[in-house]
Each structure stands twice: as structure tokens, then as C-alpha cells.
Amino acid sequence: MNTRHTYAALLRGINVSGKTMVPMAELKACFEKLGFEDVVTYINSGNVIFRSTEADPRQLEDQIEKALTTTFSASINTVVRSIDEIRELLDHLPKRWLSSRPQKCNVIFLRHTVDKPSITDGLVTKKGIEELYYRPGALLWSAGTSNLGKSEMVKLSRNPIYQEMTVRILNTVRKIYAIMQTIDAS
């Protein structure tokens, strides 16, 4: 019997400002054509939860990116994370993220090509305004909602390394994980 693994594919830069428009029904069909099971899309920003017998998320990234290029005639960087990787990430959120203070909390998922603790060396943050932490597979960034305009990290999109990342707000990551748990339990 083949073991099925539950994954989330996080597509970068689709359906943003009218660029790289990808209908979710077509995206789901693309994943199903790849032989993935229990395919679910979540919101229009390119979150696909699915099951596969493939044990290596990096192999899945390559396979998915090739299929996306063929199906949508666009190069779409994709980050794939297993249910265990998402659980580990959520289990180790900064304590301040769990407070009730008004803040924006982003999970910046890293492609394996840039996933290393030293990635923070080239990123500037403003002390007292924002916080940035590295976790395997992601950067965790937060700022008080009243300080967003003062943040240095808002300039991250100008950095070439930004092409190797995809950003999700914390609530989206939690919802993706909840869907993963439901699929994993079935």
C-alpha cells in the first residue's frame, strides 16, 4: 500500500493586481491531472491542499511548477510544505503573536534555494517597530498595525530574493493547516 502524504502548495504571485490570473477551478484540475488526491483550493491567492504518494516536497515543487507552466503559460514559483512542516511552524510561533495586541503577522515561506538562517542577515528591520524571526522553511514577520507604514520589511518586494518567497497572513496559514488536518484524517 502506498502511503499518502498531505501537502499544501503555496503559489507565488498569482491573481494579484490583475497579473498571472489563475482560476481556482482550473488550478484544481491541473493538480488532479498530476494524479494528486483530495485536492482543495483555499481563497484566490494560490493555496492548494492535496494528498500524494510522493514523500519529497522538493520533487513535488518541480513537478507542479512544470505543470503550471504548461497549463497557464506562466512561470509560477511554488513552495510545497507537508502537514508536519506546517504543524511545526505553527507550534513555534513567537509568543507575542499569541497576544491580543493589534498586529499584522506574516509567514514568509521560503523556497528551498534560500531556506537558511543567514537569510535574515541581508534584511533590515526597525527595532521597536517590527520583528523578524527565522524558522526552518519560513520567516516570521510582525509589526503593530499602527506601525506598518514605518516598517522596513515593506520594502522587501524590491529585493531580488523576494522572488524566492511567498507570503501568507497568519490566519490564512491556520486555515490551510485546518484543511490539511481534515484531509489527513479522511
Side-chain angles (χ1 to χ4, degrees):
M1 182 172 103
N2 290 333
T3 302
R4 302 234 182 310
H5 307 276
T6 303
Y7 294 103
L10 309 166
L11 283 61
R12 185 188 185 293
I14 69 163
N15 302 334
V16 178
S17 303
K19 296 179 183 175
T20 315
M21 299 306 293
V22 175
M24 292 300 101
E26 292 177 30
L27 181 59
K28 180 179 180 185
C30 177
F31 273 67
E32 289 171 339
K33 283 181 190 171
L34 288 169
F36 302 144
E37 299 175 355
D38 302 317
V39 179
V40 175
T41 61
Y42 174 66
I43 63 177
N44 206 33
S45 60
N47 307 296
V48 185
I49 299 92
F50 63 97
R51 292 174 56 104
S52 172
T53 56
E54 175 59 59
D56 183 0
R58 304 309 75 82
Q59 290 292 327
L60 290 169
E61 288 171 353
D62 292 341
Q63 184 181 2
I64 291 165
E65 286 176 357
K66 287 175 186 167
L68 293 172
T69 298
T70 301
T71 304
F72 300 106
S73 301
S75 177
I76 302 170
N77 287 347
T78 304
V79 173
V80 174
R81 293 291 184 261
S82 70
I83 190 169
D84 292 335
E85 290 171 313
I86 298 289
R87 179 184 309 115
E88 178 72 16
L89 181 70
L90 291 173
D91 284 349
H92 292 91
L93 294 174
K95 298 240 184 282
R96 291 182 68 139
W97 283 30
L98 307 176
S99 73
S100 60
R101 74 181 183 119
Q103 60 185 331
K104 181 174 178 105
C105 301
N106 284 344
V107 178
I108 305 168
F109 288 95
L110 305 171
R111 289 171 53 87
H112 64 278
T113 54
V114 297
D115 184 10
K116 52 191 166 214
S118 62
I119 192 169
T120 60
D121 294 348
L123 303 176
V124 178
T125 58
K126 281 190 181 172
K127 189 172 179 142
I129 301 290
E130 59 195 330
E131 296 176 316
L132 182 67
Y133 303 96
Y134 171 81
R135 291 285 316 150
L139 294 173
L140 305 175
W141 172 84
S142 67
T145 53
S146 63
N147 290 323
L148 291 177
K150 300 173 188 171
S151 165
E152 285 294 317
M153 283 295 287
V154 296
K155 298 175 187 172
L156 179 61
S157 63
R158 298 179 199 154
N159 189 323
I161 201 165
Y162 188 64
Q163 300 304 312
E164 300 296 312
M165 306 172 178
T166 188
V167 181
R168 301 296 185 274
I169 62 170
L170 179 58
N171 286 343
T172 297
V173 177
R174 285 181 171 147
K175 181 61 178 176
I176 289 168
Y177 181 63
I179 296 168
M180 293 174 88
Q181 287 178 301
T182 300
I183 289 172
D184 201 55
S186 65

